[in-house]
Amino acid sequence: MKVIQTQKAPAAVGPYSQAIEVNGLIFTSGQLPIIPESGELINDDIKKATARSLENIKEILQVAGSSLDKVVKVNIFLKDMNDFSSVNEVYSEYFTTNKPARSCVEVSKLPKDGIIEIEAVAEK
């Protein structure tokens, strides 16, 4: 097991790692739409928030020696399921081929009162 850590994605907001590599797979922790450089949480635009969460995942995977092209499973947690189509619009720009398996659920509350959180599993 190997802990994955990068300054190009936000630091964990609790007692966990940004990602863990085990047996050729990388498991990212859920990524809120936090801008790593400023620590600012994007909470007013679901499209920008979705892109930021995916960019954070992209950076974590890159430092782990993987990429979005190698993602096999994505879990999306939304504060409001009415944002589903807007999330899909942005998501489809990041996953154009080899679309991973995916779940998307509405949750009552996310850390820091975020509007979206995304996690992924990728091959190394």
Side-chain angles (χ1 to χ4, degrees):
M1 182 173 84
K2 179 181 176 186
V3 173
I4 307 299
Q5 187 72 26
T6 180
Q7 297 291 327
K8 293 184 178 184
V13 296
Y16 55 87
S17 301
Q18 288 174 324
I20 296 290
E21 179 186 338
V22 63
N23 296 330
L25 293 174
I26 296 134
F27 297 83
T28 72
S29 291
Q31 293 300 302
L32 293 168
I34 295 173
I35 300 168
E37 299 81 12
S38 67
E40 176 189 349
L41 176 70
I42 299 171
N43 230 13
D44 59 348
D45 183 317
I46 192 61
K47 289 182 179 181
K48 288 180 184 176
T50 301
R52 182 71 260 164
S53 289
L54 289 168
E55 286 294 325
N56 292 342
I57 289 171
K58 181 178 169 183
E59 291 294 344
I60 292 167
L61 292 176
Q62 185 173 18
V63 80
S66 187
S67 67
L68 291 177
D69 292 336
K70 295 182 179 181
V71 171
V72 297
K73 176 71 164 115
V74 174
N75 293 318
I76 301 175
F77 307 95
L78 290 175
K79 186 173 184 177
D80 185 351
M81 192 55 81
N82 291 318
D83 290 331
F84 186 75
S85 61
S86 294
V87 169
N88 281 338
E89 187 179 321
V90 175
Y91 182 92
S92 65
E93 296 171 10
Y94 284 83
F95 297 102
T96 56
T97 58
N98 300 324
K99 294 174 178 63
R102 189 182 92 174
S103 299
C104 183
V105 297
E106 181 179 282
V107 295
S108 63
K109 192 160 180 124
L110 288 165
K112 296 186 171 270
D113 205 26
I115 58 175
I116 190 169
E117 183 173 18
I118 304 174
E119 62 184 27
V121 179
E123 292 180 307
K124 173 94 177 189

